[in-house]
Amino acid sequence: MDWKFVLREKGISPTFQRLQIIAYLEENRVHPSVEMIYNELKNLIPTLSRTTVYNTMKLFQSSALVKPILSENNEIHYEFNMEPHAHFECTECGKIYDVFEEFEFIKDKIVDGHKVTEHQISLKGICSKCLEEKNA
Amino acid sequence: MDWKFVLREKGISPTFQRLQIIAYLEENRVHPSVEMIYNELKNLIPTLSRTTVYNTMKLFQSSALVKPILSENNEIHYEFNMEPHAHFECTECGKIYDVFEEFEFIKDKIVDGHKVTEHQISLKGICSKCLEEKNA
DNA sequence: TGACATGTTTAGAATTATTCTTAAATTGTA
DNA sequence: TACAATTTAAGAATAATTCTAAACATGTCA
């Protein structure tokens, strides 16, 4: 994937740090927190500062490259966002899965007089793995 | 509403502070942050401490009396939530509205092998007020 | 290319948010 | 009312986030 091009398209200058962060997000769809991103990448970029990660995530968020989501214990994690899709968070193990199944989407609808331009669906429950373990 | 009874039902002892907080949440559906709740109620309960608000919200959250939601600037706000319903956050004025219109709900469905027990839908766009102002 | 202007990163300080701690107060129960 | 258990309060401690200013990098244009 040509992240340089993607960032330029969004008017974001493609610095080394930003490129590493976006590549990390794309390759590891684990919905990391700022701290997780910082810890993973400081091996690769020893001078990396937390501030840069904060700034970058804010920048990416305002360009809709990422979306913040709340984890079970109210921590902010980021997903690398492309398609409109839902999340499934397991109440047993805490893992957050992407769900690509399409639901009744409502983009551009008018709801209670408000014009919808974005939407997000969050699901919670027990994931397939934990279900298996319970039944074992 | 008999909040004493509601709290007792959930196994939460109905202290003065908790009753005031739940009453505040129910009367003012503004999706407040901890800070907002603290500031609103310290007039009523001059000795109120932030810790109590934090503890209470955590307690209410684990009893599903409230749900945390992320505001536009990634702050944690709480909604007094009972019914499954959606949110609409205006990207112009930042207000968060409740939307009670029913969508295709998926409770207890199996999605990608995961068993869904809770769900939440978040909408964003331009609210009716801001739409009016734009057209004016 | 070289020098400038602009934008970005860094590191640590500052601030803000959240949790922890412990003593005092409150609550439920008998 | 008295007792045990729970809850609250206040501030200290910690964690998360933002701010600041200096150094660095990048793109532009002569």
Side-chain angles (χ1 to χ4, degrees):
Chain A
M1 189 64 165
D2 185 358
W3 296 122
K4 264 190 188 168
F5 181 77
V6 172
L7 292 185
R8 283 230 175 76
E9 281 248 297
K10 302 254 181 191
I12 297 173
S13 104
T15 67
F16 181 68
Q17 288 83 344
R18 290 170 183 168
L19 289 170
Q20 294 303 318
I21 292 175
I22 200 172
Y24 170 75
L25 290 171
E26 201 269 337
E27 284 159 25
N28 311 72
R29 305 277 183 132
V30 292
H31 305 93
S33 61
V34 163
E35 196 61 21
M36 288 161 77
I37 299 170
Y38 172 73
N39 283 319
E40 286 296 322
L41 290 183
K42 76 178 173 190
N43 304 312
L44 203 59
I45 316 169
T47 65
L48 183 66
S49 93
R50 254 173 268 260
T51 306
T52 298
V53 182
Y54 277 107
N55 291 341
T56 301
M57 295 320 285
K58 195 165 271 184
L59 190 64
F60 284 0
Q61 184 178 345
S62 67
S63 295
L65 281 167
V66 301
K67 270 189 186 171
I69 54 179
L70 266 182
S71 75
E72 186 76 7
N73 25 266
N74 294 11
E75 290 167 346
I76 296 176
H77 290 230
Y78 291 91
E79 71 157 339
F80 184 62
N81 174 53
M82 305 284 75
E83 322 298 312
H85 68 261
H87 287 128
F88 180 92
E89 179 168 357
C90 182
T91 53
E92 301 279 316
C93 65
K95 278 211 200 72
I96 301 175
Y97 297 83
D98 286 324
V99 172
F100 289 100
E101 179 171 320
E102 282 280 328
F103 301 107
E104 279 286 272
F105 286 134
I106 45 183
K107 206 152 172 118
D108 294 325
K109 275 199 179 162
I110 301 279
V111 170
D112 290 358
H114 313 313
K115 184 178 177 186
V116 176
T117 58
E118 295 173 60
H119 66 271
Q120 190 181 327
I121 296 185
S122 302
L123 308 176
K124 279 190 192 172
I126 305 177
C127 76
S128 50
K129 264 194 188 167
C130 291
L131 278 174
E132 260 176 44
E133 278 173 25
K134 284 203 160 182
N135 294 335
Chain B
M1 187 68 164
D2 185 358
W3 297 122
K4 264 190 187 169
F5 181 77
V6 172
L7 292 185
R8 282 228 176 77
E9 282 248 298
K10 302 253 179 191
I12 297 172
S13 106
T15 66
F16 181 68
Q17 288 83 343
R18 290 170 182 168
L19 289 170
Q20 293 304 316
I21 290 175
I22 199 172
Y24 170 75
L25 290 171
E26 201 270 338
E27 284 159 25
N28 310 72
R29 306 277 183 132
V30 292
H31 306 91
S33 62
V34 163
E35 196 61 22
M36 286 161 79
I37 298 169
Y38 172 73
N39 282 319
E40 285 298 321
L41 290 183
K42 76 179 174 190
N43 304 313
L44 202 59
I45 317 169
T47 66
L48 184 65
S49 92
R50 255 173 268 259
T51 305
T52 297
V53 182
Y54 277 106
N55 290 341
T56 302
M57 295 320 285
K58 196 166 271 184
L59 190 63
F60 284 1
Q61 184 178 345
S62 66
S63 295
L65 281 167
V66 301
K67 271 189 186 172
I69 54 177
L70 268 182
S71 74
E72 185 77 9
N73 26 266
N74 295 10
E75 290 168 346
I76 296 176
H77 290 230
Y78 290 90
E79 72 155 340
F80 183 65
N81 175 50
M82 304 288 77
E83 321 300 312
H85 69 261
H87 286 128
F88 181 93
E89 178 168 359
C90 182
T91 53
E92 302 279 315
C93 64
K95 276 210 199 74
I96 301 175
Y97 298 83
D98 286 323
V99 171
F100 289 99
E101 179 172 319
E102 283 279 327
F103 301 107
E104 279 287 272
F105 284 135
I106 45 182
K107 204 150 175 125
D108 294 325
K109 275 199 181 163
I110 302 280
V111 170
D112 289 359
H114 314 312
K115 184 177 177 185
V116 177
T117 58
E118 296 173 58
H119 66 270
Q120 191 182 326
I121 296 184
S122 302
L123 309 176
K124 280 190 192 173
I126 304 176
C127 77
S128 49
K129 264 194 188 166
C130 289
L131 278 174
E132 259 177 46
E133 279 172 24
K134 284 203 159 182
N135 294 334

